[in-house]
Amino acid sequence: MAVDLLLKGGTVVTEGGPVQADVAVSGGVIVGLTAAGEGPSARRTVDVTGLHVLPGVIDTHAHHREPGYTHKEDIITGTSAAAAGGVTVSCAMPNVYPPPNTAKVLRDMFALYEQKSVIDYNINAASSNLEELPALAEMGILSFKIFMVVDTGRDYPHMPGIGVHDHGKLFKMFQGIQKTGLPLMIHPHDQALMTVIEEDYWARGEKDFRAYAKAYSSYDGVIWDSAVSTLLQLQRASGVHLHILHLQTRRCVEMIRAARAEGRAVTSEVNPWTLWLGNDCANIERLASYALSYYVEPHHYQAVWNALLDGTSDMIATDHAPHTHAEKAPGRENGWKAHTGTPSVQEYVSLLMTDVNDGKLSLKKAVELLSENPAKVFKLYPKKGAIRIGADADFAIIDMNAELVLNDERVISKCGWTPYAGRKVKGLPLHTIVRGKFVFEDGKVVGEPGGGVKATPLTAEQAARLTAAAVSV
Ligand code: DOR
Ligand code: ZN
C-alpha cells in the first residue's frame, strides 16, 4: 500500500548520525526508513537528493508577543518566521498581557494558538500564582517560567509584577513546581546587585548602549553568577528540575557542571546572541541596542561553546525577542530605554549550520542541540526530536551548500529586521515539514494559521510504547 509521502535520496540525520536513506511518512508519522532508493511507493514523492533531512527543530523559548504586544510580533508572524527557520515546535514565553499565570488566561491563550499557529506549539506558563500551579500543570504545558528581572527605565519586556527575585518567594515557587513534576525555566538575574551597579553608572552620567552593555557584564558577570549560584541552592533544597536560561558565563558553566556531576536535575540553554552576536564588542559598536540582548566579555564564549559540545549545556533555544525600530533606536543615547532582546528564529539554524560547515561541530551534535535534547528535556521524545519509526514526521530539510548574506528584506518577523543582516551563512532550511505537511516549501511559507497542534509532554508509558514501536518495526 502506498504511503502518504516519501522523502527520497537525502542524507538523513538519525540519532546514529547521517545516513543515505529514504523516509516514508503516513498519517503524519514516520513509518519507514529504508536504504536509499528502496523506499515504498507514495502518493507524493519528494526528491531531496543533495539535501540533508534533519528532525524538526524545537525552539523552547520564543517571544511571540500575543496577546498584548502584537505591534512587535503575533502568533502568525512568529510561527511563520519559525517555519522558515526550520522550526517545527515553538514554545511561547509568558511576558504577554495578560500573562498566563492562571488556568483561565492560559486556556484563552491556548485557544489563540489553536486558531493561529502555523507550526506545533506550547506555552511556558508564568508561575507567579502559587495556588494556580497545579491547575496550570494539568493543561499540558512543558514547563513553567520565572523572570528574575525587574526593568528600570522602561516597562517592557519585564512588565511590573512579572519579576521575582525575593529568595523566599522563589523557594516557594520551586517547591510548588517540584510537586507538579514539571521543569522550571528561569532567567537568572541578581536584581539587588543590578540596582546598585546601575546606580553607579547613572551617577557617572553613563547611560548609552555601551554603559548598558557594561553594566550587565559588570565584575565579569557577577549578576549572572550570583543568581545561578542561588538558584542552584534552591534547586538542591527543593529537588525541582531547574532549567537555566541564557547560559553565558564561564562560572555559570562550572557551577552547572558540578551540579550535574552530583546527578541533580539541572539543564540549561544557550541563545544565539551569546554565540553569534552580543558578546562581540564590534557588533555592539555597529548596532548599539539592536545587538543587545545581554553582553558579557568575549572571553566567556569558549567556555559556553565547550559546554554545548561536552553536554554540560543541553540546547540552543532562540530567545527570539522582536522589538520595533522605535523601541530599539533610543538605546543609542540611553540603553535602559531600549527594549532589550534580539530576534533570531529565522536565522539561528543557518548560523549553526555555518558552524557545522566550518568544522566547529558535527551535524549530529547540531541536531542534538536543536532537536533531540530539547525533546528529551521537555518530554516530547521520542514522539519528537529524532528521525525514527513512530515519531511525528517533523523535518527541517537543509541545503548545506546554499549560501546567503542575511538581510532585512527576507525577515518574516513583524519587527522587520535582523541583527544578523550582512552576515554570510552557509546551510539554509529549504523545506520544513510538520507531521507530514509542508509548512515551508522551496523557501516559501505555505503553512496555514491553525495548522499547528499543541505538543504535550509524554507520560513514561507513552514514551516506552513509542520506543518499543521503533524497535519492533
Ligand atoms: O532580552 C530579553 N528579551 N530578555 C528577556 O528576558 C525578555 C526578552 C523579551 O521579551 O524581549
Ligand atoms: Zn526570553
Side-chain angles (χ1 to χ4, degrees):
M1 214 178 67
V3 297
D4 293 343
L5 173 69
L6 186 71
L7 301 174
K8 184 168 165 276
T11 304
V12 181
V13 186
T14 66
E15 287 161 282
V19 291
Q20 294 304 123
D22 292 351
V23 187
V25 173
S26 265
V29 301
I30 299 169
V31 294
L33 276 169
T34 70
E38 291 179 13
S41 63
R43 276 181 278 286
R44 180 174 179 197
T45 297
V46 179
D47 185 354
V48 290
T49 304
L51 302 175
H52 282 76
V53 181
L54 276 52
V57 172
I58 299 175
D59 180 14
T60 52
H61 182 165
H63 297 271
H64 299 147
R65 311 298 193 202
E66 184 170 356
Y69 301 90
T70 51
H71 65 287
K72 295 171 186 277
E73 189 78 287
D74 59 39
I75 297 168
I76 295 177
T77 55
T79 58
S80 297
V87 176
T88 53
V89 180
S90 182
C91 301
M93 281 303 185
N95 55 339
V96 291
Y97 194 81
N101 60 2
T102 67
K104 171 166 183 350
V105 174
L106 184 63
R107 197 169 301 117
D108 291 348
M109 198 167 156
F110 272 129
L112 291 175
Y113 276 78
E114 198 181 324
Q115 286 164 30
K116 299 185 181 191
S117 189
V118 171
I119 59 175
D120 288 356
Y121 58 84
N122 209 312
I123 299 166
N124 301 312
S127 61
S128 37
N129 277 343
L130 278 181
E131 64 284 5
E132 292 275 339
L133 296 178
L136 291 166
E138 289 297 309
M139 293 178 66
I141 57 172
L142 299 177
S143 181
F144 287 97
K145 161 84 189 264
I146 297 178
F147 294 89
M148 292 173 79
V149 192
V150 177
D151 274 346
T152 39
R154 62 180 177 227
D155 57 10
Y156 198 81
H158 309 103
M159 321 89 99
I162 204 166
V164 184
H165 47 92
D166 176 285
H167 298 180
K169 286 194 185 127
L170 282 171
F171 191 47
K172 281 284 175 210
M173 287 179 184
F174 276 54
Q175 290 177 315
I177 294 170
Q178 191 275 336
K179 289 197 193 97
T180 71
L182 286 173
L184 166 60
M185 297 180 167
I186 300 208
H187 174 157
H189 178 88
D190 190 319
Q191 186 63 44
L193 279 178
M194 191 61 190
T195 300
V196 293
I197 289 168
E198 285 174 341
E199 280 166 6
D200 285 347
Y201 274 86
W202 298 344
R204 292 196 298 269
E206 293 182 39
K207 287 199 162 179
D208 69 357
F209 65 96
R210 293 185 196 93
Y212 180 84
K214 282 194 281 175
Y216 267 89
S217 65
S218 282
Y219 307 100
D220 203 28
V222 71
I223 62 160
W224 302 95
D225 298 346
S226 165
V228 165
S229 157
T230 302
L231 293 172
L232 286 170
Q233 291 308 320
L234 301 184
Q235 184 283 328
R236 186 181 55 72
S238 65
V240 78
H241 172 175
L242 174 66
H243 183 70
I244 295 173
L245 307 178
H246 311 316
L247 178 61
Q248 60 164 349
T249 74
R250 173 171 66 74
R251 291 179 197 85
C252 287
V253 168
E254 287 163 5
M255 287 185 276
I256 291 171
R257 190 174 282 134
R260 285 167 71 106
E262 290 173 10
R264 282 157 54 191
V266 177
T267 54
S268 65
E269 69 167 32
V270 176
N271 308 117
W273 41 269
T274 294
L275 299 176
W276 300 300
L277 182 70
N279 295 348
D280 178 338
C281 303
N283 287 334
I284 296 177
E285 282 300 323
R286 189 166 56 90
L287 298 167
S289 293
Y290 286 87
L292 288 169
S293 295
Y294 306 102
Y295 167 77
V296 293
E297 287 175 24
H299 73 84
H300 291 284
Y301 167 85
Q302 198 59 49
V304 173
W305 184 252
N306 290 346
L308 286 172
L309 293 187
D310 73 15
T312 300
S313 184
D314 303 86
M315 66 191 74
I316 300 174
T318 60
D319 189 20
H320 174 73
H323 300 290
T324 64
H325 286 292
E327 291 160 342
K328 278 296 196 186
R332 196 164 276 284
E333 265 82 59
N334 185 335
W336 278 265
K337 287 261 180 284
H339 291 192
T340 213
T342 46
S344 56
V345 75
Q346 200 179 336
E347 294 85 13
Y348 80 122
V349 170
S350 295
L351 290 160
L352 191 65
M353 291 305 128
T354 307
D355 283 348
V356 170
N357 271 317
D358 288 344
K360 289 182 70 181
L361 77 170
S362 68
L363 203 46
K364 174 171 160 20
K365 185 71 203 180
V367 164
E368 285 170 23
L369 297 174
L370 294 172
S371 305
E372 191 178 323
N373 292 350
K376 285 180 175 166
V377 167
F378 295 102
K379 302 217 161 50
L380 296 172
Y381 181 90
K383 189 169 192 296
K384 294 191 181 286
I387 297 179
R388 42 188 287 151
I389 308 285
D392 282 357
D394 296 348
F395 307 106
I397 301 183
I398 311 281
D399 183 346
M400 289 300 290
N401 293 316
E403 294 184 335
L404 180 74
V405 177
L406 296 174
N407 57 68
D408 288 349
E409 288 66 44
R410 68 192 283 278
V411 168
I412 294 168
S413 168
K414 206 185 269 187
C415 71
W417 58 275
T418 168
Y420 302 101
R423 190 88 49 112
K424 189 168 169 194
V425 292
K426 184 172 179 187
L428 284 169
L430 184 65
H431 312 295
T432 307
I433 298 175
V434 177
R435 288 172 288 100
K437 287 216 175 85
F438 281 74
V439 293
F440 181 66
E441 187 169 358
D442 286 323
K444 288 201 180 55
V445 176
V446 295
E448 293 291 328
V453 302
K454 193 201 288 188
T456 51
L458 303 180
T459 62
E461 296 75 54
Q462 287 169 328
R465 215 174 311 125
L466 273 173
T467 303
V471 176
S472 64
V473 173

